Amino acid sequence: MLVLTRKRGERIVICENIVLTIVSIHGKRVKLGVHAPGHVTIRRDDLRDLSGVIELTKNNNTAQELHERIQPPRTSGP
């Protein structure tokens, strides 16, 4: 595993066509921006075990639509 240290605003380039940008750092949380071709599937590691992989592509999904797709089904309580 390659481990890199970057500051806010700095970038990492992968294979000439994928760019990771450090958008912000707040405590232990790092916000990354990813610029990649449309055919590249990008997903969070903690979501890859969900049935029906959620692909964040360049379509018109809203944040609410994506949220609804990853939430477990609600069950009626007693």
Side-chain angles (χ1 to χ4, degrees), residues 1-68:
M1 174 190 300
L2 173 65
V3 178
L4 302 171
T5 302
R6 299 281 80 199
K7 296 178 182 174
R8 185 175 54 88
E10 293 182 329
R11 297 178 178 169
I12 298 168
V13 179
I14 303 169
C15 295
E16 301 298 323
N17 61 354
I18 300 172
V19 180
L20 304 177
T21 303
I22 308 304
V23 176
S24 65
I25 303 169
H26 296 286
K28 294 182 179 182
R29 297 185 65 101
V30 177
K31 188 180 287 187
L32 292 175
V34 181
H35 185 265
H39 68 276
V40 175
T41 300
I42 301 169
R43 61 182 171 261
R44 292 179 3 196
D45 185 55
D46 57 328
L47 297 179
R48 72 180 169 160
D49 291 333
L50 292 176
S51 61
V53 173
I54 300 167
E55 295 182 12
L56 301 178
T57 59
K58 295 180 181 178
N59 56 25
N60 291 324
N61 285 340
T62 66
Q64 180 63 34
E65 289 170 328
L66 293 174
H67 178 75
E68 289 170 359

